[in-house]
Amino acid sequence: FGAFAPAGLGGMIYYPPTHTFLLSNGNSTSDITVGSVDVIDPLHAITVGGVTKYVPAIINSFPIHSCMPTSLNLRPGTTDVLVGCADHDGRAFSPSTVIINGTTGAVLTTINYVGFVDQTWYNPGDDNYYLASRDMPTGPVLGVINAGTRQWLQNVPTNGNAHSVAADPVN
C-alpha cells in the first residue's frame, strides 16, 4: 500500500422524498477524479427461493466529477442536496461545492468559490449552508452559501484544521 491512501466513505443523510439514504463516496470508481453520491434503499426487496426479504441495497449512484464527496446536507422541503467536495489523496482539484437534485442526481449548481471541505451544515434559521473548508489554497475558511438562491455569500477566515461546523438556528 505505501503511499496509496484511499478515501473512505463520507457523510450520510436520510432523504425523505424517496425514503432512502444518500452516502458520499470518494472511491466509487477507479478514477479518483470521479466520486459519487450513492442511493441506499434500506428496505430493498429481494426474493430468493420464493422467500422475500428486505435488505439494504445501493440502488443508484450519482457521479460527481472533480470531487471527492465528503459531506451531504439536505435543504428541507426540497430535493436540493449540498455535496461538500475535497481533493483526493494528493490529487488537488479546483475549489468546488455542488448542489444536486437528490432524486435524479442532476447537478443544479456548481460553486467555485469554496471547497476543500470536510464537514458541512444546513442552518434552517437563516437558510444557509456552512462549510468547514480547512484546505482552501488561500487558507482555511468558513464558507457560507445561501440555500434558497444556491449562491455563494462569503468565506470567513478560520484557524488551521477547522474541519467541523455547526450552527444554532435561533441565533
Side-chain angles (χ1 to χ4, degrees):
F1 278 67
F4 183 72
L9 298 173
M12 179 184 281
I13 60 169
Y14 177 69
Y15 185 69
T18 57
H19 307 289
T20 57
F21 290 90
L22 302 180
L23 174 67
S24 59
N25 185 347
N27 284 326
S28 56
T29 71
S30 60
D31 180 353
I32 66 170
T33 67
V34 181
S36 70
V37 173
D38 297 336
V39 182
I40 300 171
D41 179 358
L43 297 173
H44 189 72
I46 61 167
T47 302
V48 177
V51 177
T52 300
K53 294 184 178 185
Y54 297 90
V55 299
I58 296 173
I59 59 171
N60 207 345
S61 186
F62 306 136
I64 309 293
H65 296 272
S66 298
C67 171
M68 181 184 75
T70 57
S71 56
L72 302 170
N73 280 109
L74 171 68
R75 181 173 184 240
T78 73
T79 59
D80 285 15
V81 175
L82 179 113
V83 181
C85 296
D87 56 356
H88 194 296
D89 299 316
R91 174 73 184 262
F93 306 118
S94 297
S96 69
T97 300
V98 179
I99 298 175
I100 66 169
N101 177 305
T103 303
T104 66
V107 174
L108 304 173
T109 303
T110 300
I111 298 163
N112 294 314
Y113 300 106
V114 64
F116 301 98
V117 173
D118 192 2
Q119 293 182 5
T120 60
W121 189 275
Y122 171 75
N123 181 10
D126 60 8
D127 198 27
N128 287 331
Y129 298 111
Y130 291 90
L131 297 82
S133 300
R134 70 176 176 180
D135 294 325
M136 283 288 286
T138 56
V141 298
L142 173 68
V144 184
I145 296 171
N146 181 275
T149 64
R150 302 181 186 139
Q151 299 292 310
W152 171 81
L153 298 177
Q154 66 178 328
N155 289 338
V156 179
T158 62
N159 289 324
N161 207 26
H163 66 96
S164 300
V165 63
D168 181 343
V170 176
N171 62 17

